[in-house]
């Protein structure tokens, strides 16, 4: 029989969630903005109150126990419900906000958006911060679902219904050729363009 769950608060649930993401106490503590000792202490309390080791040492770091894997979906759902409840009771004031948000964006999107975004944050939300990583379009959906990302700036032609999306900017493509290239000055159709030699750039590998 599982022991009764008692005295679990939002902080402990968030700590459990981050430990499950990072599989490492030091990295989890850094992302939570806590000390390593505080995070280790919270993990100890979670183990005691849930009656399970939750995370055990392995060659790759810390591995979740079956009980931890079983608890994780419910814990994440509870965190979201609590956050929504608390957010609905408080009016958001960007001047007082102290959150950090995780973005991913292509190098072009970063160049296009981040300078202006940085200026606006300094004026309208000086206590907020953003961490930006290069987009991996193959993982965007899962990273957003898992809470690793708060926002993705990317070309996403067929987003799944679970993602809330909005167009940010419309742009086109240009062909770049060497000086004196035979195609200069011509109106190329698709067939002619396809016959040319190309340098292919694949940011996602």
């Amino acid at each position: 029989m599982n022991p009764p769950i008692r005295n679990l608060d939002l902080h402990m649930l968030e700590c459990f969630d981050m430990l499950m993401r990072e599989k490492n106490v030091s990295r989890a503590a850094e992302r939570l903005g806590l000390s390593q000792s505080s995070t280790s202490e919270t993990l100890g309390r979670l183990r005691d109150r849930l009656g399970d080791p939750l995370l055990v040492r392995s060659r790759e770091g810390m591995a979740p126990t079956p009980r931890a894997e079983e608890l994780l979906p419910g814990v994440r759902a509870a965190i979201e419900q609590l956050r929504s409840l608390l957010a609905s009771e408080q009016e958001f004031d960007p001047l007082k906000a102290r959150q950090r948000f995780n973005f991913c964006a292509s190098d072009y999107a970063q160049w296009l958006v981040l300078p202006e975004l940085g200026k606006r944050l300094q004026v309208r939300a000086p206590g907020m911060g953003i961490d930006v990583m290069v987009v991996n379009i193959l993982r965007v959906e899962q990273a957003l679902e898992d809470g690793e990302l708060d926002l993705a700036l990317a070309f996403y032609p067929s987003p799944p219904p679970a993602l809330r999306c909005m167009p940010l900017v419309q742009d086109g493509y240009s062909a770049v050729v060497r000086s004196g290239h035979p195609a200069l000055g011509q109106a190329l159709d698709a067939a002619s363009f396809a016959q040319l030699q190309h340098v292919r750039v694949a940011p996602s590998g």
Side-chain angles (χ1 to χ4, degrees):
M1 179 182 296
N2 293 326
I5 297 176
R6 61 191 186 280
N7 298 330
L8 288 179
D9 56 27
L10 179 58
H11 164 71
M12 294 180 71
L13 296 178
E14 288 179 327
C15 188
F16 172 74
D17 181 29
M18 191 59 68
L19 284 163
M20 291 291 286
R21 294 181 194 281
E22 295 296 333
K23 313 290 193 301
N24 181 283
V25 173
S26 297
R27 290 199 301 269
E30 183 178 355
R31 290 193 62 182
L32 289 165
L34 301 172
S35 67
Q36 183 174 343
S37 60
S38 174
T39 305
S40 295
E41 181 182 341
T42 302
L43 176 57
R45 294 202 306 272
L46 283 164
R47 285 168 167 166
D48 177 61
R49 293 172 189 182
L50 296 173
D52 188 87
L54 300 177
L55 290 147
V56 296
R57 296 193 181 280
S58 69
R59 294 182 194 177
E60 292 76 26
M62 300 184 77
T65 65
R67 175 64 171 154
E69 296 280 12
E70 178 187 356
L71 288 168
L72 185 59
V75 167
R76 287 181 175 166
I79 289 172
E80 289 304 315
Q81 288 180 340
L82 285 169
R83 284 176 175 167
S84 298
L85 178 64
L86 294 173
S88 65
E89 294 176 351
Q90 299 178 3
E91 183 176 350
F92 178 72
D93 185 350
L95 288 173
K96 297 179 181 178
R98 293 294 181 269
Q99 292 102 318
R100 294 193 69 83
F101 296 95
N102 294 319
F103 287 10
C104 76
S106 66
D107 50 0
Y108 175 62
Q110 292 181 35
W111 172 82
L112 189 68
V113 172
L114 292 184
E116 182 62 27
L117 178 60
K119 292 178 184 177
R120 296 194 183 195
L121 283 176
Q122 285 181 344
V123 175
R124 301 182 184 182
M128 290 173 57
I130 55 174
D131 295 320
V132 184
M133 60 195 77
V134 177
V135 66
N136 180 346
I137 198 65
L138 301 178
R139 287 201 67 250
V140 164
E141 181 182 350
Q142 188 63 47
L144 287 166
E145 183 177 337
D146 289 345
E148 296 175 19
L149 291 175
D150 299 299
L151 178 69
L153 304 176
F155 175 64
Y156 211 160
S158 301
L163 296 184
R164 288 187 294 176
C165 302
M166 63 177 292
L168 184 65
V169 65
Q170 290 186 341
D171 207 346
Y173 286 97
S174 296
V176 179
V177 299
R178 63 173 169 81
S179 177
H181 193 284
L184 280 173
Q186 299 182 32
L188 294 175
D189 57 23
S192 299
F193 179 77
Q195 290 298 315
L196 300 176
Q197 292 184 323
H198 294 80
V199 174
R200 183 182 179 197
V201 180
S204 63

